[in-house]
Amino acid sequence: MEAMPTKDVQTEPYVVVLFGATGDLARRKLLPALLHLSISQLAPDLRIVGTSLDDIDDEQFRAIASQACLEFDRHSAGPLERDAWVKSLRYVPQGKGPAALAEAVAAQAAELDHPNLLHYLSVPPRAAIPVIHMLQEAGLVKDSRVIMEKPFGTDLVSAIALNQAIHEIFAEDQIFRIDHFLGKEPAQNILAFRFANGLFEPIWNRTFIDHIQIDVPETLSLEGRAAFYEQTGAFKDMVVTHLFQILAFVAMEPPTELASEAISIEKNKVFRSMVPLQPHKVVRGQYRGYRDEPGVSPESDTETFVALECEIDNWRWAGVPFYLRTGKCLAEGQRIISIAFREPPKSMFPAGSGVGAHGPDHLTFDLADQSKVSLSFYGKRPGPGMKLDKQSLQFGLTETDTANDVLEAYERLILDAMRGDHTLYNTADGIERLWEVSAPLLDNPPPVRGYDQGSWGPNAIHQLIAPHAWRLPFERVWRAKK
């Protein structure tokens, strides 16, 4: 096992080996992302080798890729550009073995000048290690990088075993554990908002912040993923791999520099400071009708919803609760971070003025692709007397001249992997610590509670967060661009 040497990957070309190339993720996200990176020239010269369990040939794969890019490419590539790119694709069935894969990679590499290798493992967790071994047998490990999809284990023991097995073949700096949430423009804007401005970081602590909510409800159901979801559930699928990562961006200390190693160090400090989850501070739910889904056990206790309180035991955050919520078949699809500031210790305003009537001041990040930020506060209502209303300052990415330059999450993350930038990727130590924090909940999960589809989850979520209240649904709406 050798660590990958540092290279100028800005100019050196790449051969990308895409495992699971005919799967849903590849069709919806990865192939359109690779198309855009290629024709936009954001990435160096690329050649793609697709592989999966499907026994098809180059032309059949090209037809699949062409239809996927036509349907899901949000950059609207022209037909001539798309057709030219598709004709460069190669495909080899995994069943033909390592030698056939190595031959296809060599053929694509021959069209480039000393290319690097990037392997994208869009495969189920159980297939990850066999694929890693296939790459080793094909002689495709040295000087390569590998992107791995979640989940990274299902508990601490399995995560340690997975990391050990991967490290037998790949060095840690060759491995990129992907979390597409962190690839989104709004998630990175948290770092810019906190550390590029002198206004907010001085009050980003327990003295001024009362509590924080990270709320990612989904309206979607299983969408045919019962086999995966029955083994995973909402907590393992969303909280460990997504919401905890967002929490780290919100809670981390300022890094010594804007570099992947420095940021990873601060994120891992947050994870080490997290108090192990307490089952009595967790609400698990299951939407009514889940057990009727194809492939779901009639006695299933898999949670499709989870809400929890967690704590970070350090000087900055001691005593500040973090409330996390996510689930399927809920009332709205949102991705919200809400920072609730402490209210003034004493009010000079008379009763009936309206102060405090709409809760504390909030700073809200909308992590949807449009990337919005809102700061709410009390202000005087025009007219006689002292009546207060909740006002807000709002910013949306669509209001800028660079809104069209936004990269889709997978585009950014693939490009970062080519550049060797781990900033938005997870580390082995971080993943293992999060499973350690989760162990009390996994060992003693509370019972699942039923909730109606189209609701906000089980009623017990209100007792969980009391005396506070969930910010979703919003009483106000984002202002539309005029």
Side-chain angles (χ1 to χ4, degrees), residues 182-353:
L182 296 188
K184 294 179 178 294
E185 195 83 34
Q188 297 165 73
N189 200 35
I190 298 170
L191 297 182
F193 193 91
R194 288 189 58 190
F195 302 129
N197 302 294
L199 178 60
F200 291 102
E201 188 58 23
I203 60 171
W204 207 265
N205 55 58
R206 64 188 302 272
T207 303
F208 299 98
I209 291 177
D210 184 77
H211 66 279
I212 295 174
Q213 296 180 34
I214 302 175
D215 212 347
V216 187
E218 297 180 298
T219 58
L220 302 175
S221 61
L222 293 188
E223 296 189 307
R225 300 169 67 219
F228 165 78
Y229 210 80
E230 274 287 89
Q231 299 297 318
T232 308
F235 178 78
K236 295 178 182 179
D237 182 40
M238 290 292 293
V239 176
V240 177
T241 51
H242 293 325
L243 273 63
F244 280 161
Q245 302 299 327
I246 294 294
L247 181 150
F249 269 24
V250 173
M252 63 188 278
E253 297 295 323
T256 55
E257 59 179 330
L258 191 64
S260 58
E261 183 176 2
I263 291 175
S264 293
I265 287 172
E266 298 305 331
K267 285 175 58 182
N268 286 342
K269 285 181 182 177
V270 173
F271 299 149
R272 287 197 296 272
S273 299
M274 289 176 65
V275 177
L277 298 180
Q278 303 176 53
H280 72 276
K281 292 185 177 181
V282 179
V283 175
R284 296 169 69 233
Q286 185 184 93
Y287 66 79
R288 294 184 175 92
Y290 172 78
R291 295 178 182 178
D292 299 326
E293 298 268 10
V296 173
S297 167
E299 290 87 30
S300 174
D301 65 349
T302 299
E303 81 279 356
T304 63
F305 172 98
V306 64
L308 59 89
E309 177 187 330
C310 62
E311 303 172 62
I312 300 175
D313 189 19
N314 61 19
W315 276 48
R316 182 184 289 261
W317 296 114
V320 177
F322 287 73
Y323 298 104
L324 280 55
R325 175 173 65 169
T326 187
K328 299 285 188 184
C329 292
L330 297 176
E332 295 179 25
Q334 296 275 7
R335 295 165 181 164
I336 295 292
I337 301 171
S338 186
I339 316 291
F341 292 98
R342 295 192 184 278
E343 298 188 55
K346 183 175 176 60
S347 176
M348 66 180 185
F349 297 94
S353 65

Side-chain angles (χ1 to χ4, degrees), residues 417-474:
M418 291 177 179
R419 292 172 171 170
D421 186 346
H422 284 82
T423 300
L424 303 177
Y425 285 89
N426 301 321
T427 66
D429 289 345
I431 289 294
E432 290 176 12
R433 171 56 185 166
L434 289 176
W435 284 121
E436 185 179 13
V437 168
S438 305
L441 173 61
L442 299 179
D443 292 341
N444 187 29
V448 293
R449 302 167 183 261
Y451 65 93
D452 292 331
Q453 297 186 41
S455 71
W456 288 100
N459 289 332
I461 62 172
H462 303 297
Q463 288 75 47
L464 173 70
I465 202 171
H468 313 298
W470 294 100
R471 295 222 55 218
L472 288 176
F474 280 145

Side-chain angles (χ1 to χ4, degrees), residues 4 14 118-120 144-149 152 171-179 260 413-414 416-426:
M4 185 171 182
Y14 261 90
L118 176 66
H119 310 297
Y120 197 117
S144 71
R145 293 177 172 135
V146 56
I147 298 177
M148 299 191 64
E149 279 285 344
F152 313 106
E172 178 64 19
D173 65 350
Q174 292 178 273
I175 304 166
F176 293 77
R177 299 169 185 82
I178 198 167
D179 174 9
S260 58
L413 291 166
I414 291 172
D416 282 355
M418 291 177 179
R419 292 172 171 170
D421 186 346
H422 284 82
T423 300
L424 303 177
Y425 285 89
N426 301 321

